[in-house]
Amino acid sequence: MTVTTQPGTELDRTRFFIDGHWVEPRGTDTHVAVEAATEVPLGTAALGTAADIDAAVRAARRALDEGTWGRTTTTERAAVMRRFADALAARAEATSTLVSRENGMPIGLSNAFNGAAPAGLLQMYADLIEALPLESVRPSPSGSTVVRREPVGVVGAITPWNYPQVLAMMKVAPALAAGCTVVLKPSPETALDGYVLGDAAIEAGLPPGVLNIVMAGREAGAALVSHPLVDKIAFTGSTAAGRLIGAECGRLIRRCTLELGGKSAAVVLDDADLDTFVAGLGDASFQNNGQTCTVQSRILAPRSCYDEIVDAVAGFARSMTVGDPLDPAVTCGPMASQAQLDRVLGYIDLGRNSAARLVCGGGRPAGLDRGWFVEPTVFADVDNAERIAQEEIFGPVITITPYDGDDEAVRLANDTEYGLGGSVWTTDEERGLTVARRVRTGTIGVNYYLQDLGAPFGGMKASGIGRELGPEALDNYLEFKSIYASSAQLAR
């Protein structure tokens, strides 16, 4: 929503964080952030232009080329990052609440992913970079070679609205640890919370230009991707947008990591314990109101116990409490926007008009006339070729498809352009691991699905390129340089 005037609130963010300061925007457009559960305006944020992006990139370039950040010792960088973590931790409760109001995320989940996790990631990458030797010496035929790790340069980080704080920090933390400088472009759908990072960066003493934040739409995002002074793009978002970004980075010979969409499968084997399966559905298949790229929204069920599994999934969906995401008892909040609600309802209509059987849900919940709420919805007897089984819906809509035997289950699990998440449910863990190894996906759980921030995360096929999280993420932000020398001393 773009407007020229809006009553002021304490949540307004009408300036950008560039070169260590809050600066006035170059343009005049603004975006009104609306509370997902009430449809009441929360505040106004400035919308960035290509000129704002240019100013932020140039500040990051100066900080990289003329500043000290990339030349500091790892111990010095780690100390600043730990102060940054402390500043975010002090704001965690308020930030979590703000995000839940912006995008409808249940508050308990928001406390974990928008409150605790960003500070934890800064701490983790501070520890990792402090323990990582930046230089090593190898003998060579002509003497020795110094193999050196250096920052990749200026990073353009583009993040979505569903987990705004943790997805930003999954890029910012390893980039800062590596000595890079960053321009962060958050999504307008969560227009207000991203600037908390700027407030915390000032408090932590992050040098000017090392982190810059400009909230903007697609046109300004495209300007960031193609800016000649950017060395790398780190993007999380839709596969459609990722294809465009990847093509542009390929044209420019520019490094990129792309964490994209998913349509993951939960494979329920014929020996699964249904109580364990049902207990894990909230995290595996319905997390964040279904607005999670890794949710296992396709459930593959053996014909031998198909009806029992359909009844179990439908029972769980009916038991979910839909309502105000700030209420700790609520397990399904609203969609993040009117557009997202319309998208989800459109897919439900597709399901109704297919050969699938609507088991529960299928519309707006009774008694919730305001807010972008939709009922948790389950379709059974879904052909895996149907659009509701192949396309990412990004809402609390589950399909159930029958299969015969483990081989068909694996074939159906892999019968998608995506490969991001997944799960296998069985009382025989070795059997579950065997099936999990055959599914072409970047992450998969056996009898649960909970993301491990200390392990690499990313997708196969159309779900992306590269990995975030874990020690492996640091390599995305480091270049390796070989220095040939007659002799050399080991350095840090």
Side-chain angles (χ1 to χ4, degrees):
M1 183 185 304
T2 301
V3 298
T4 55
T5 60
Q6 172 69 17
T9 78
E10 70 278 6
L11 294 177
D12 288 353
R13 289 289 192 172
T14 56
R15 294 185 295 170
F16 300 131
F17 185 63
I18 297 176
D19 208 16
H21 307 285
W22 295 107
V23 303
E24 296 297 324
R26 270 69 172 174
T28 58
D29 284 347
T30 56
H31 176 88
V32 179
V34 177
E35 186 164 11
T38 66
E39 301 181 50
V40 172
L42 280 172
T44 300
L47 270 174
T49 64
D52 297 298
I53 292 292
D54 179 68
V57 171
R58 291 183 183 280
R61 191 83 239 173
R62 286 193 301 273
L64 182 80
D65 294 342
E66 302 169 21
T68 60
W69 184 251
R71 297 191 294 275
T72 56
T73 67
T74 55
T75 298
E76 290 168 335
R77 283 206 295 276
V80 177
M81 292 174 66
R82 292 185 180 110
R83 293 199 301 270
F84 195 3
D86 290 342
L88 286 178
R91 295 164 169 78
E93 183 177 357
T95 303
S96 302
T97 298
L98 176 57
V99 173
S100 290
R101 296 180 71 189
E102 288 178 307
N103 71 2
M105 180 182 290
I107 189 62
L109 190 67
S110 192
N111 286 336
F113 283 99
N114 298 302
L121 286 170
L122 281 166
Q123 294 278 7
M124 181 177 80
Y125 284 105
D127 293 344
L128 286 169
I129 198 65
E130 199 169 27
L132 180 69
L134 296 185
E135 291 187 357
S136 61
V137 179
R138 303 176 187 177
S140 74
S142 301
S144 61
T145 298
V146 178
V147 179
R148 176 172 172 78
R149 293 179 172 92
E150 295 185 349
V152 70
V154 174
V155 174
I158 302 174
T159 55
W161 47 262
N162 57 330
Y163 290 81
Q165 289 283 308
V166 70
L167 289 174
M169 198 51 68
M170 282 164 62
K171 298 159 182 58
V172 171
L176 295 183
C180 298
T181 59
V182 180
V183 176
L184 172 65
K185 191 207 80 65
S187 168
E189 281 78 8
T190 43
L192 305 175
D193 68 271
Y195 293 111
V196 172
L197 299 176
D199 294 334
I202 292 172
E203 182 177 315
L206 202 65
V210 171
L211 175 63
N212 308 272
I213 307 171
V214 178
M215 194 279 292
R218 292 182 180 180
E219 289 186 6
L224 177 59
V225 171
S226 61
H227 199 289
L229 299 182
V230 169
D231 299 293
K232 172 187 165 59
I233 294 295
F235 172 76
T236 296
S238 71
T239 294
R243 293 185 199 280
L244 296 174
I245 291 169
E248 180 68 359
C249 288
R251 184 184 73 83
L252 296 169
I253 318 297
R254 177 167 297 167
R255 293 177 63 172
C256 68
T257 49
L258 306 172
E259 195 270 283
L260 308 177
K263 191 68 179 180
S264 303
V267 180
V268 185
L269 299 182
D270 55 16
D271 65 346
D273 180 87
L274 288 190
D275 289 338
T276 301
F277 171 58
V278 170
L281 273 173
D283 289 323
S285 296
F286 287 96
Q287 190 177 74
N288 194 22
N289 322 325
Q291 297 177 139
T292 302
C293 53
T294 58
V295 291
Q296 286 99 74
S297 56
R298 293 185 299 139
I299 294 176
L300 308 180
R303 293 186 192 275
S304 60
C305 50
Y306 182 76
D307 290 341
E308 294 92 329
I309 292 170
V310 170
D311 289 345
V313 175
F316 180 88
R318 292 189 186 102
S319 74
M320 296 185 76
T321 302
V322 181
D324 181 357
L326 299 182
D327 181 350
V330 164
T331 53
C332 185
M335 300 297 93
S337 65
Q338 181 68 54
Q340 188 61 22
L341 174 64
D342 292 343
R343 172 186 173 89
V344 173
L345 292 176
Y347 275 105
I348 290 174
D349 284 344
L350 283 175
R352 285 180 178 275
N353 293 315
S354 73
R357 171 166 55 99
L358 178 64
V359 180
C360 69
R364 301 291 303 272
L368 290 172
D369 299 327
R370 299 191 69 182
W372 299 309
F373 294 97
V374 64
E375 293 176 304
T377 298
V378 177
F379 287 98
D381 309 338
V382 179
D383 188 307
N384 199 57
E386 290 281 356
R387 286 181 61 187
I388 59 170
Q390 287 292 319
E391 297 178 13
E392 188 174 40
I393 297 174
F394 232 57
V397 180
I398 301 297
T399 67
I400 307 179
T401 299
Y403 72 85
D404 292 300
D406 291 6
D407 287 345
E408 185 180 16
V410 170
R411 181 184 66 77
L412 289 170
N414 288 332
D415 184 19
T416 171
E417 69 170 331
Y418 298 108
L420 187 59
S423 58
V424 183
W425 304 84
T426 175
T427 53
D428 182 345
E429 189 168 85
E430 283 303 315
R431 181 186 178 194
L433 288 168
T434 297
V435 171
R437 291 184 180 107
R438 295 175 63 192
V439 179
R440 291 204 65 216
T441 188
T443 63
I444 191 165
V446 178
N447 292 324
Y448 72 97
Y449 187 90
L450 287 172
Q451 197 174 84
D452 177 4
L453 300 184
F457 172 77
M460 299 181 182
K461 302 188 284 186
S463 287
I465 296 172
R467 292 296 181 266
E468 296 187 310
L469 297 177
E472 292 81 1
L474 277 171
D475 283 348
N476 293 323
Y477 299 94
L478 291 166
E479 293 281 15
F480 288 83
K481 175 189 289 184
S482 294
I483 303 173
Y484 311 128
S486 58
S487 63
Q489 298 293 318
L490 185 65
R492 285 282 310 264

